[in-house]
Amino acid sequence: RERQGPPGPDAGRLLGLEGLGQIVRAVGAPVLAIGGMTVDRAAAVRAAGAAGLAAIGLFIGQGGEAPCRAVPLDPVVLALRRKFDTLP
């Protein structure tokens, strides 16, 4: 798990991309990356071997008067697919 902001009360040890890669190599099942996901980080997550990623904060707007609002999904999903997907 890699995180940008402060960890919540249930947060364990943060493993980062190196730890993610170790888990991917150690298990015989697809692994999803979760925590601190950004569009810019998606390519590194893929390179670490993750089968995908899970995100909440990525889809929530930041700042302004309404810091917790949904953002339009299409641009975020398209940007993630450009960084993560292997298919054209």
Side-chain angles (χ1 to χ4, degrees):
R1 192 162 87 172
E2 185 167 325
R3 183 183 277 272
Q4 283 184 308
D10 63 340
R13 187 169 57 108
L14 303 180
L15 301 177
L17 293 169
E18 182 179 329
L20 174 62
Q22 290 173 356
I23 292 169
V24 167
R25 291 185 298 277
V27 301
V31 175
L32 295 180
I34 184 169
M37 290 294 103
T38 65
V39 170
D40 291 336
R41 189 170 288 141
V45 166
R46 179 175 170 260
L53 56 90
I56 294 173
L58 182 62
F59 300 106
I60 302 296
Q62 302 295 319
E65 292 180 22
C68 188
R69 61 178 168 72
V71 297
L73 291 180
D74 288 342
V76 175
V77 171
L78 182 60
L80 282 173
R81 291 191 71 189
R82 286 184 181 138
K83 297 274 185 170
F84 199 91
D85 286 359
T86 57
L87 300 175

